Amino acid sequence: MNTTPPTDCPAWRKLAAHAESWRQVQLAELFAGDPARSTRMIAEAPGLRLDYSRQRAGALTLRLLAQLAVERGFEEWRAALFAGGRLNTTEDRAVTHTALRAGDGAPQDVKSNLERMIFLSNSIREKKQYRRIVNLGTGGSDLGARLLADAFGDGALEVRFVANIDPVELERALAGADPAATLLVVVSKTFSTQETISNATAARRLGYKNLVAVTANPEAAAQFGADDILPMPDSVGGRYSLWSAAGLAGLLAIGGTAFSELLAGAREMDQHFLTEPLESNVPALLALLGVWNVNFLDLRAHAVLPYSHRLRLLPAYLQQLEMESNGKGVDREGRAVGYATCPVVVGAEGTPAQHAFMQLLHQGPQPMAADFIDASVNQALSANAQAQADALAYGTNAGTGGDAGLAPHRRNPGNRPSSILKSRQFTARDLGRLIALYEHKVFTQGVLWNINSFDQWGVELGKEMAQRLL
Ligand code: F6P
């Protein structure tokens, strides 16, 4: 498979030359000269519609980006992903998160693990012996289940989350709880993460004895005294593990039916990503446009703005997914990359973000790209999402001189690219589609940048240093 530097690809060089012709182009002018742009630059995936007409890109840009994907061997890498190939070379591991939601096509062990966790969740939700569930885990052992519970928790159980080593978070999560009616869900792939193990130890010391462990290291969990242990596959990184037992607290919060819908939505997106040609493949398009923005238009930050209160935790989830996966400085051959990789990902729910940090997106001198996720049937939310995207794109017509009469502080430069992802409704199935979409975007960018998106060696040094200091 192709592991040469992307900068050696003919398409990369053509894109660099092509980018020069875009430096002076204004989105406001483009739309004025070609209104059909807004109906043409649309792609559909299951339940989601991507409008990328506000990207600073045209037909030739898209053709060259698609050519880059071909030259990088995108199809071969994608096939390897779905075949469970050993793509995580620095840890010598296969990558199998898509198998977790393969439904009837999943391996037998995946099916039986899923049945087991749904059975456990159903019985806990029905019997009502626990009133509170406390998830102890961090990073990928926290963010996915937390997002799920926050988005679609039905209130059948009180589900809380503790990720921080700061004891305040544990104290708050346990405040007013009855130890006999509380279940601790201790999630740690390694079962050695300092935050998680020290919180679990502290909770046990406080008399919380009901505990289920989720881990890929059952020996360590058994040594800790867990007798109920659900497996987490070794071949699934924490940030890709929501679909496994790592999502147990989320499952407990939303119930088996909604969790199955989540998996079905992800499965649909897998099929779309696997079969759709590049020009209409939504995850691949997002990835290609992201590379265009980062490497050719020099936009080194990216905002994720969900217009849905249910999705208020999505930016934190995507920060881990994108930055822990693709925030890498060496390529698959261990060479220092000579090009930018993952942008800094920021975000928060709209509309509150508009009244907090979006000033910088509109007028700050370091422009960034943005994804607006319009995932609500509420018209006020949709109107705000579109208005923000339009304001970023057109500004106050600076490019055309249309704002000459405005005081400088009232001018918005515009020409700041964004995409809108529109979902007609927003259910657990749509959340599954959306998360899988971003997973595949991240994967595709890893292929384009020639990096391993499945390791995270950079975080180890700080962990070791903290241990030593302690
Ligand atoms: O330190 C980073 C990290 O390893 C993440 O990749 C992971 O999601 C998180 O910590 C938690 O790890 P574990 O599940 O092993 O406790």
Side-chain angles (χ1 to χ4, degrees):
M1 284 191 292
N2 188 355
T3 59
T4 59
T7 41
D8 288 356
C9 289
W12 188 279
R13 288 195 287 270
K14 286 185 201 159
L15 280 160
H18 177 64
E20 289 310 311
S21 68
W22 275 89
R23 298 261 174 241
Q24 303 307 325
V25 177
Q26 296 290 322
L27 280 169
E29 286 175 333
L30 273 186
F31 275 100
D34 175 19
R37 192 178 164 83
S38 57
T39 46
R40 199 176 54 241
M41 295 176 80
I42 298 282
E44 301 272 355
L48 284 165
R49 155 186 275 239
L50 170 69
D51 174 351
Y52 57 101
S53 60
R54 292 174 194 75
Q55 292 289 338
R56 288 168 55 199
L60 178 56
T61 325
L62 267 301
R63 268 206 305 282
L64 291 175
L65 286 166
Q67 188 190 327
L68 178 66
V70 172
E71 288 172 13
R72 302 300 314 137
F74 166 70
E75 287 193 8
E76 210 183 336
W77 284 106
R78 180 180 59 183
L81 171 71
F82 283 90
R86 295 192 90 73
L87 300 184
N88 183 357
T89 43
T90 61
E91 295 180 321
D92 193 22
R93 283 185 181 141
V95 172
T96 64
H97 55 277
T98 56
L100 296 173
R101 60 233 187 183
D104 293 340
Q108 195 46 50
D109 61 327
V110 168
K111 285 189 205 161
S112 24
N113 288 337
L114 184 62
E115 273 166 28
R116 185 174 161 206
M117 66 190 262
I118 291 191
F119 179 81
L120 178 69
S121 162
N122 287 347
S123 80
I124 291 176
R125 282 168 60 94
E126 277 156 25
K127 283 196 203 134
K128 309 237 181 281
Q129 80 267 40
Y130 300 119
R131 281 195 299 282
R132 193 176 299 187
I133 308 294
V134 180
N135 189 84
L136 307 176
T138 194
S141 296
D142 165 72
L143 292 164
R146 197 189 278 256
L147 165 64
L148 206 50
D150 193 63
F152 294 110
D154 61 8
L157 289 165
E158 192 183 351
V159 184
R160 298 194 180 188
F161 292 84
V162 180
N164 202 324
I165 197 155
D166 184 340
V168 170
E169 196 180 17
L170 182 67
E171 267 163 45
R172 288 187 176 172
L174 296 179
D178 168 6
T182 300
L183 177 68
L184 303 177
V185 180
V186 183
V187 188
S188 177
K189 182 174 171 186
T190 54
F191 224 80
S192 63
T193 302
Q194 192 193 26
E195 290 87 338
T196 306
I197 303 308
S198 79
N199 282 327
T201 308
R204 269 223 310 231
R205 236 184 262 127
L206 291 167
Y208 291 84
K209 304 281 183 226
N210 306 315
L211 182 151
V212 40
V214 179
T215 186
N217 184 357
E219 297 79 22
Q223 223 167 31
F224 184 80
D227 36 33
D228 204 358
I229 301 174
L230 298 185
M232 226 172 135
D234 203 39
S235 49
V236 175
R239 55 196 178 273
Y240 298 91
S241 67
L242 162 69
W243 328 98
S244 74
L248 180 62
L251 163 62
L252 285 161
I254 70 172
T257 308
F259 195 83
S260 302
E261 283 287 298
L262 178 92
L263 298 182
R267 186 158 62 243
E268 288 173 356
M269 191 56 71
D270 289 345
Q271 275 313 306
H272 170 87
F273 179 60
L274 198 49
T275 55
E276 200 66 28
L278 272 171
E279 55 276 14
S280 47
N281 190 313
V282 174
L285 279 170
L286 278 184
L288 291 169
L289 290 163
V291 166
W292 170 244
N293 285 331
V294 168
N295 299 102
F296 300 98
L297 300 184
D298 301 323
L299 301 169
R300 301 288 161 83
H302 184 89
V304 184
L305 301 155
Y307 277 67
S308 156
H309 186 63
R310 289 186 193 282
L311 289 180
R312 66 185 170 150
L313 300 184
L314 183 71
Y317 183 85
L318 294 184
Q319 279 181 320
Q320 187 194 15
L321 181 63
E322 298 228 7
M323 295 201 279
E324 200 173 67
S325 297
N326 285 343
K328 307 286 167 61
V330 294
D331 72 8
R332 291 180 190 275
E333 301 292 342
R335 296 171 293 229
V337 295
Y339 41 89
T341 58
C342 187
V344 174
V345 178
V346 296
E349 67 177 313
T351 59
Q354 293 171 203
H355 304 284
F357 61 77
M358 288 194 58
Q359 161 65 32
L360 181 146
L361 274 75
H362 289 292
Q363 285 186 319
Q366 315 94 326
M368 63 173 87
D371 287 352
F372 289 91
I373 301 169
D374 178 7
S376 164
V377 287
N378 181 291
Q379 286 184 349
L381 276 170
S382 292
N384 271 283
Q386 194 186 319
Q388 290 295 314
D390 286 346
L392 286 171
Y394 308 138
T396 42
N397 278 330
T400 56
D403 61 357
L406 287 179
H409 62 272
R410 288 189 180 275
R411 291 181 199 152
N412 278 22
N415 218 28
R416 300 185 169 205
S418 69
S419 297
I420 299 182
L421 274 167
K422 171 83 184 148
S423 158
R424 269 175 292 282
Q425 47 177 0
F426 206 71
T427 61
R429 182 178 281 252
D430 297 296
L431 181 58
R433 291 162 167 161
L434 189 64
I435 295 175
L437 179 145
Y438 275 99
E439 284 182 355
H440 295 320
K441 172 202 161 184
V442 165
F443 171 78
T444 305
Q445 291 190 327
V447 169
L448 297 169
W449 285 322
N450 191 34
I451 53 183
N452 178 358
S453 303
F454 301 103
D455 62 9
Q456 59 285 318
W457 291 100
V459 296
E460 293 305 317
L461 179 62
K463 287 188 204 172
E464 284 161 25
M465 287 184 168
Q467 285 289 6
R468 254 184 273 145
L469 287 169
L470 251 181

